[in-house]
């Protein structure tokens, strides 16, 4: 069965620190990959997505992610975090089987940025 | 442009009751998906509808059902509510089946 694993459940950083959140998936075929963010009290928002092409994807708010097919990974990065980045981050995978658009989410990583 | 709208935002039900949750997708989006998010976990896929047909179903009991209307809005129905059904129910819409989803703010269901 397809699954998504996020390595870090809770990350605490100081402002200006660099961020990397790990995401690995299990699926042997073609996938579409997503990172979503959920700020406190708000709905899920799309940070970035990968469908094909350049494996280094840039998203909103200075976030980027790199798809490494050989490692089944799609790690999220940001060079310098801000207090406003405090949120829950979800990695998600859509197996591009063509039949369904279901997203499989990881369990989420809570990021706390200290001012 | 209105985003994905869900109603109601909150509701409290008693065990054994039935509930209907509603979702209006972004204008022009023909795909609607439903997810359940339990506190501390990622969203779990329940259903996907595309052009009014069910195109995917997650590992949920038959107490859960859904439908999509000609205007592409959707309803999620849950019968015989259990305490474990307490969760945030999310609706997402997309213009196609796999290329980016916009989520609504969700309906917070509490079963007592």
């Amino acid at each position: 069965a397809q699954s998504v694993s996020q390595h870090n459940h809770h990350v605490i950083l100081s402002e200006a620190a660099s961020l990397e959140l790990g995401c690995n998936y299990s699926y042997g075929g073609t996938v579409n990959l997503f990172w979503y963010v959920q700020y406190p009290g708000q709905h899920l928002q799309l940070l970035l997505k990968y469908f094909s092409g350049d494996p280094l994807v840039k998203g909103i708010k200075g976030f980027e992610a790199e798809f490494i097919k050989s490692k089944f990974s799609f790690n999220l990065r940001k060079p310098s975090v801000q207090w406003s980045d405090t949120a829950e981050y979800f990695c998600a995978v859509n197996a591009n089987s063509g039949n369904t658009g279901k997203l499989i989410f990881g369990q989420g990583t809570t990021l706390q940025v200290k001012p | 442009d209105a985003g994905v709208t869900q109603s109601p935002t909150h509701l409290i039900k008693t065990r054994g009751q039935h509930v209907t949750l509603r979702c209006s997708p972004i204008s022009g989006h023909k795909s609607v998906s439903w997810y359940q998010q339990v506190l501390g976990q990622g969203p779990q896929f329940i259903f996907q509808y595309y052009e009014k047909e069910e195109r995917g179903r997650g590992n949920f009991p038959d107490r859960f059902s859904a439908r999509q209307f000609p205007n592409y809005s959707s309803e999620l129905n849950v019968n015989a509510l259990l305490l474990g059904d307490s969760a945030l129910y999310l609706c997402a819409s997309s213009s196609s089946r796999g290329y980016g989803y916009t989520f609504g703010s969700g309906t917070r269901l509490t079963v007592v």
Side-chain angles (χ1 to χ4, degrees):
Chain A
Q2 302 157 24
S3 65
V4 177
S5 176
Q6 293 183 238
H7 313 301
N8 317 97
H9 292 282
H10 198 162
V11 173
I12 302 174
L13 296 173
S14 298
E15 276 194 313
S18 64
L19 170 72
E20 180 159 3
L21 301 182
C23 173
N24 284 90
Y25 65 93
S26 64
Y27 182 70
T30 304
V31 293
N32 298 325
L33 298 157
F34 306 83
W35 275 97
Y36 282 88
V37 62
Q38 193 169 31
Y39 298 103
Q42 297 188 26
H43 61 280
L44 281 168
Q45 299 174 38
L46 182 65
L47 269 181
L48 46 79
K49 59 192 176 190
Y50 172 80
F51 294 153
S52 62
D54 188 345
L56 186 60
V57 179
K58 294 194 182 299
I60 61 172
K61 304 185 181 186
F63 286 90
E64 65 178 29
E66 184 176 13
F67 171 49
I68 303 179
K69 189 174 181 180
S70 61
K71 294 185 179 180
F72 299 90
S73 70
F74 190 55
N75 293 352
L76 181 71
R77 299 195 293 249
K78 186 171 184 178
S80 176
V81 295
Q82 301 172 328
W83 176 79
S84 59
D85 293 324
T86 295
E88 185 103 19
Y89 292 81
F90 293 95
C91 179
V93 170
N94 167 240
N96 194 11
S97 64
N99 189 40
T100 177
K102 88 174 187 182
L103 288 175
I104 300 169
F105 283 85
Q107 68 269 42
T109 297
T110 301
L111 172 64
Q112 182 182 353
V113 180
K114 294 184 174 181
Chain B
D1 271 346
V4 178
T5 57
Q6 293 186 243
S7 63
T9 54
H10 297 81
L11 75 165
I12 301 173
K13 290 285 190 178
T14 304
R15 278 178 297 174
Q17 285 189 315
H18 163 272
V19 68
T20 297
L21 311 181
R22 296 178 174 84
C23 172
S24 294
I26 290 173
S27 178
H29 283 192
K30 299 179 179 179
S31 174
V32 170
S33 299
W34 288 95
Y35 291 81
Q36 181 195 66
Q37 186 177 14
V38 175
L39 196 62
Q41 297 182 20
Q44 297 289 314
F45 174 76
I46 309 175
F47 284 108
Q48 190 212 10
Y49 279 77
Y50 181 73
E51 285 280 19
K52 293 156 282 183
E53 291 186 5
E54 183 183 303
R55 295 302 182 99
R57 172 184 284 256
N59 189 23
F60 281 81
D62 291 343
R63 299 184 296 107
F64 288 76
S65 63
R67 55 180 175 169
Q68 187 176 33
F69 298 100
N71 66 353
Y72 302 109
S73 67
S74 178
E75 282 183 355
L76 175 70
N77 295 284
V78 187
N79 292 324
L81 285 167
L82 303 174
L83 296 179
D85 295 331
S86 296
L88 180 66
Y89 289 85
L90 299 168
C91 174
S93 77
S94 172
S95 58
S96 60
R97 279 173 292 181
Y99 298 100
Y101 300 82
T102 302
F103 282 82
S105 298
T107 294
R108 173 72 62 185
L109 171 65
T110 302
V111 182
V112 297

